[in-house]
Amino acid sequence: FNWGVVADDGTILIPLKYGMIWKWELEGTEYVGAFYTEDSYDCDLYDPNTWELVGKHIRGNIIKNKK
């Protein structure tokens, strides 16, 4: 299985390539975590309001995208 998020109109919000998708709170901020595999805590972090890829969580560290 690959997971992602698709809007009702068919627009892909998060590509269908992840092992698991989960709503996640880190350091007081809510994200949608798109995990690379089901058994990993490493993931891409998406803003649940804009669906923008805003960073990564890799080996316990949050790496935010530069704007």
Side-chain angles (χ1 to χ4, degrees):
F1 267 120
N2 286 337
W3 294 89
V5 177
V6 179
D8 288 340
D9 68 0
T11 302
I12 295 175
L13 303 175
I14 297 178
L16 304 168
K17 65 178 187 177
Y18 295 101
M20 184 174 63
I21 301 285
W22 199 259
K23 188 175 178 182
W24 221 23
E25 185 177 328
L26 292 169
E27 298 179 354
T29 302
E30 287 187 354
Y31 299 99
V32 173
F35 296 84
Y36 305 128
T37 63
E38 287 185 31
D39 58 353
S40 171
Y41 284 103
D42 294 347
C43 66
D44 289 338
L45 300 172
Y46 288 85
D47 181 321
N49 298 306
T50 64
W51 298 104
E52 178 183 359
L53 177 63
V54 294
K56 296 181 178 293
H57 184 263
I58 306 289
R59 290 186 286 285
N61 296 305
I62 298 172
I63 304 162
K64 292 192 178 179
N65 291 346
K66 295 179 182 177
K67 289 193 176 191

